[in-house]
Amino acid sequence: MNNSTYHSPADSSFADSSLADNAFSEIVALIPAAGIGSRMKSDCPKQYLKVAGKTILEHTLAALLEHPRIKSIIVALNPADTQFEQLSIASDPRITTVKGGEERADSVLSGLDYLSGLPTDRQIWVLVHDAARPCLHRSDLDNLLRLIDQSEEFPDVCGGLLASPVRDTMKRMMPPSEEELPTNYHSAIDYTVDRNGLWHALTPQLFPLQLLRDCLIKSLAENACITDESSALEYCGYHPVLINGRADNIKVTQPEDLALAEFYLSRKFKESIV
């Protein structure tokens, strides 16, 4: 892992060799699913909670497997996970599991390490998707994967992610103080943030395997704040592309998200049979 070569944004040879000729590209989905979902206040990790008749993770995997360009999926699991193997989808030959880590970036890097060790003559693009985003639509996937098709015409494309413009008024809270507030208050407002140009980062996020792995290794080694894959590339000087995605591509994080996910999944199913 530490022997990986880091490619700087100015390294034109990387763009020439890695992003050219998408006819030789392969897309692999990577799902970090080692989290325990503490915010759900549940006895089991949130990806194994059931919604619309299946676990959240099963819906997530099915949405990816239904796309003809995605040939395989790597799922990074908690080493103590005993639930995944009980899912019927776990026997799908296109799915491989690896051991995840304590943080999301560790799980993603584990999957990237596995992929980088496989023999291939193709350029691999990695599609990283949250395990707890079960409502992904085919149209969003199509729009994101189009980046690969455009990489010949625009060799500086380093990848991109689904995102949605911020619609709500954004507030910055004041730093914690010694003054006590009522227990049902979180903090006082410092000021209102200008929402122009602000986007909610979603997943999937799509990047070339080697570039993403190099940037993650560098970012983690330098203790950078890495909250998603794009932030690792940004830290290393790259500028991923924002692809406007559907707002119903929600991440199930809080208990109240389950009902919303059930609604969106039911509507998605109805749309698919029309």
Side-chain angles (χ1 to χ4, degrees), residues 140-204:
D140 272 3
L141 257 181
D142 286 339
N143 289 336
L144 181 60
L145 295 179
R146 203 164 287 129
L147 281 176
I148 300 175
D149 304 325
Q150 296 170 340
S151 62
E152 274 190 76
E153 185 177 355
F154 303 100
D156 290 336
V157 171
C158 65
L161 63 150
L162 293 178
S164 63
V166 170
R167 296 180 175 88
D168 301 315
T169 297
M170 305 297 290
K171 304 290 186 181
R172 171 72 67 182
M173 73 177 189
M174 294 185 69
S177 66
E178 295 182 1
E179 181 181 352
E180 291 189 6
L181 291 173
T183 55
N184 59 326
Y185 297 149
H186 185 68
S187 180
I189 294 171
D190 192 4
Y191 59 90
T192 298
V193 178
D194 184 0
R195 69 186 176 196
N196 288 326
L198 293 180
W199 291 65
H200 293 286
L202 311 175
T203 69

Side-chain angles (χ1 to χ4, degrees), residues 92-107:
D92 191 298
R94 293 170 290 179
I95 296 177
T96 300
T97 62
V98 297
K99 288 184 179 180
E102 292 187 9
E103 303 294 336
R104 174 197 176 91
D106 299 320
S107 293

Side-chain angles (χ1 to χ4, degrees), residues 18-37:
S18 296
L19 301 185
D21 196 357
N22 62 68
F24 295 97
S25 297
E26 179 179 348
I27 302 167
V28 178
L30 173 55
I31 311 295
I36 59 174

